[in-house]
Amino acid sequence: SSSFIFNVQSIVLYYSGKAVYSSPNKMKIFAFASLFLSLVLHAGHFTSTEALAAVPSTKKSSGGYDYPSLYDESIPMLWTSKLVYSFATLLKAGREGKLDLGNTFPPEVLELYKEERLDVRGLDGENGLSFTKVVEIVRANADYLQENNIGGDFTTSIIEKLLAVEDADKSSDSLFLETFASIEQATQCVYGVVKDIVNKRVTVVFRGSTDLSTRDWQTNLSAQLVGLRTPKLLEDSLEGRLKDRLLVHRGFYNYIFSNSRADGDQRYDMILDDIKPLVEQEGYKLYVTGHSLGAALSSVLAFKLAGSDKPWIPKPVTCISYASPLVGTKGFRTAFTLLEKMGLIRYLRITNFNDLVPTIPPFSLGCTRRTFKHVGINLRIYDKKFILSHPNSNGWGIVNALRNSIFKPLCCALKEHGLQLHEKRMDAHKDALENMTLEDLYADEKLV
């Protein structure tokens, strides 16, 4: 991690600064020896493509629920994380009179969405707004998305894939939009809730950062620390101040739990109200996802839900994120890892190998300076390979520290951060990823 680099640099600079007065050669030798020993002592276990390609499982049953393969569990989260950008853009344009949604939007909610958040749980026999209808809305306005640089072609390709999934069973729709909160997007984060009646999962999806008309970038840059109250189910298992609070990124925390600009309920309370009647249906699992800023928010929310003592929240909570920045300090990672050990949370953090965003912010701002730490199982994807790692096993050695350093090529920053390249590389490794499950990874003692 970035903290390891800082620690090595501090030690080398301190001692070499003292040695330089006696011998410049001693300084060089000491610096080299320090880095070499750090590599030997701290370099940990990584699992590569080749090591896992032969794992013979495509679906894993756990607690009576059949979890799909790593690929099949992750790709729908990527598609949902992309569509949330497009759908929010269209709703905003409709509210502002820039776009006429009258021909594509259900008439029973056409006026309602302009004044309130979109709550369509009562449609289609209490199932919600079918995703077939959602993608029709997006597809009908593809030109507008293209003109406004919202990934028109990529969005269209996702729509076709989603329609193919729906067409596989022509007897009924399987995916439904339940709620969508974007009307206050100038001051609050945007999220939606989706229900999958075939795979029996309810997914909360957060949108990532957009333009300066929102508070997204102010949120990203508010990298001071704030105390997140330790979840009830962890209080007796942690020590010291961790029993009471965990230090996390203030901007991400405030966007969900303590937004002073919120007019009404905080997003966390709204999400609880949205998902409660959905997950109380027998056999449903809870997922959280998002890209970039949305990934950071999904990490914090999933952690809070997984550690909650509310009996109606199904466990484990699953979080699958794309291109997440860092969200918490060492104490947060300690608590997060404990939830994983308790079987209360499953987290797959997917990143492109040259993406800068997952390396920031390396440390907090403000009076209290701490380094931020990543959590969960990291699937780092390259063009021709992928690497799996976890804080418990990879040792956070210099090899991993360099991988997580902020020194990334700026020439391809946007491409590396985008979901389109994530999907391309996931598809390149589809065969291998279809032959493993997240349950397999958590059962691998060398990895977790």
Side-chain angles (χ1 to χ4, degrees), residues 118-175:
L118 195 62
D119 186 345
V120 289
R121 286 174 288 183
L123 297 181
D124 202 347
E126 303 298 319
N127 273 327
L129 181 64
S130 73
F131 239 58
T132 302
K133 191 63 180 177
V134 173
V135 297
E136 285 177 5
I137 295 170
V138 176
R139 183 161 57 177
N141 296 284
D143 290 343
Y144 181 85
L145 295 173
Q146 188 76 44
E147 292 169 4
N148 288 271
N149 298 315
I150 314 295
D153 291 341
F154 181 43
T155 300
T156 300
S157 72
I158 290 176
I159 286 173
E160 298 306 322
K161 293 168 186 173
L162 280 168
L163 289 176
V165 172
E166 291 288 63
D167 289 344
D169 180 7
K170 296 184 181 296
S171 61
S172 65
D173 291 309
S174 60
L175 302 173

Side-chain angles (χ1 to χ4, degrees), residues 247-249 252 296-297 299-300 324-329 332 372-373 375:
L247 296 178
V248 297
H249 186 290
F252 303 150
L297 299 177
S299 303
V300 178
S324 177
L326 295 117
V327 301
T329 62
F332 176 73
F372 283 108
K373 309 290 184 181
V375 294

Side-chain angles (χ1 to χ4, degrees), residues 87-141:
F87 199 61
T89 298
L90 295 179
L91 292 186
K92 183 174 184 288
R95 291 189 182 108
E96 295 175 349
K98 297 177 181 178
L99 200 61
D100 182 8
L101 299 177
N103 294 327
T104 53
F105 219 79
E108 56 267 44
V109 291
L110 184 58
E111 293 301 321
L112 181 64
Y113 90 95
K114 294 183 179 180
E115 303 296 334
E116 304 176 16
R117 75 190 185 103
L118 195 62
D119 186 345
V120 289
R121 286 174 288 183
L123 297 181
D124 202 347
E126 303 298 319
N127 273 327
L129 181 64
S130 73
F131 239 58
T132 302
K133 191 63 180 177
V134 173
V135 297
E136 285 177 5
I137 295 170
V138 176
R139 183 161 57 177
N141 296 284

Side-chain angles (χ1 to χ4, degrees), residues 89-386:
T89 298
L90 295 179
L91 292 186
K92 183 174 184 288
R95 291 189 182 108
E96 295 175 349
K98 297 177 181 178
L99 200 61
D100 182 8
L101 299 177
N103 294 327
T104 53
F105 219 79
E108 56 267 44
V109 291
L110 184 58
E111 293 301 321
L112 181 64
Y113 90 95
K114 294 183 179 180
E115 303 296 334
E116 304 176 16
R117 75 190 185 103
L118 195 62
D119 186 345
V120 289
R121 286 174 288 183
L123 297 181
D124 202 347
E126 303 298 319
N127 273 327
L129 181 64
S130 73
F131 239 58
T132 302
K133 191 63 180 177
V134 173
V135 297
E136 285 177 5
I137 295 170
V138 176
R139 183 161 57 177
N141 296 284
D143 290 343
Y144 181 85
L145 295 173
Q146 188 76 44
E147 292 169 4
N148 288 271
N149 298 315
I150 314 295
D153 291 341
F154 181 43
T155 300
T156 300
S157 72
I158 290 176
I159 286 173
E160 298 306 322
K161 293 168 186 173
L162 280 168
L163 289 176
V165 172
E166 291 288 63
D167 289 344
D169 180 7
K170 296 184 181 296
S171 61
S172 65
D173 291 309
S174 60
L175 302 173
F176 295 87
L177 178 68
E178 304 297 320
T179 62
F180 197 83
S182 66
I183 193 167
E184 314 92 349
Q185 62 180 291
T187 55
Q188 298 195 66
C189 62
V190 172
Y191 78 90
V193 176
V194 177
K195 180 172 69 173
D196 181 340
I197 63 175
V198 172
N199 293 299
K200 288 195 171 184
R201 61 187 176 213
V202 172
T203 301
V204 180
V205 54
F206 288 100
R207 188 189 66 182
S209 304
T210 54
D211 56 41
L212 296 179
S213 68
T214 71
R215 291 185 60 82
D216 292 347
W217 286 101
Q218 290 171 271
T219 295
N220 291 328
L221 297 173
S222 296
Q224 298 87 349
L225 293 175
V226 67
L228 168 67
R229 183 176 176 181
T230 301
K232 291 285 187 181
L233 296 182
L234 289 178
E235 289 177 352
D236 295 335
S237 301
L238 295 170
E239 299 179 350
R241 299 187 68 180
L242 297 185
K243 297 175 71 68
D244 301 316
R245 61 98 180 102
L246 307 164
L247 296 178
V248 297
H249 186 290
R250 186 178 73 180
F252 303 150
Y253 172 87
N254 286 349
Y255 231 12
I256 301 177
F257 302 104
S258 186
N259 189 341
S260 61
R261 295 178 180 243
D263 183 14
D265 291 339
Q266 294 293 327
R267 283 299 197 235
Y268 179 65
D269 298 316
M270 294 173 65
I271 290 170
L272 290 181
D273 289 341
D274 287 349
I275 65 175
K276 187 174 187 295
L278 303 175
V279 297
E280 284 182 326
Q281 300 176 64
E282 185 177 358
Y284 273 80
K285 287 293 186 182
L286 180 58
Y287 281 69
V288 192
T289 191
H291 167 251
S292 194
L293 166 63
L297 299 177
S298 70
S299 303
V300 178
L301 177 66
F303 172 80
K304 187 70 172 178
L305 294 173
S308 172
D309 63 351
K310 292 179 173 58
W312 55 267
I313 297 178
K315 309 292 176 63
V317 174
T318 298
C319 182
I320 298 177
S321 73
Y322 288 88
S324 177
L326 295 117
V327 301
T329 62
K330 183 179 179 180
F332 176 73
R333 187 171 73 183
T334 297
F336 200 103
T337 303
L338 184 56
L339 282 180
E340 290 177 302
K341 288 181 178 179
M342 296 167 69
L344 299 177
I345 194 168
R346 309 159 70 244
Y347 185 21
L348 183 65
R349 183 173 56 83
I350 303 172
T351 57
N352 279 324
F353 78 100
N354 257 339
D355 187 3
L356 174 64
V357 171
T359 70
I360 56 177
F363 52 84
S364 63
L365 303 177
C367 298
T368 304
R369 293 292 181 89
R370 303 284 177 83
T371 52
F372 283 108
K373 309 290 184 181
H374 270 307
V375 294
I377 295 175
N378 179 215
L379 171 61
R380 186 189 301 268
I381 44 179
Y382 300 70
D383 290 330
K384 296 183 179 180
K385 67 175 182 178
F386 62 82

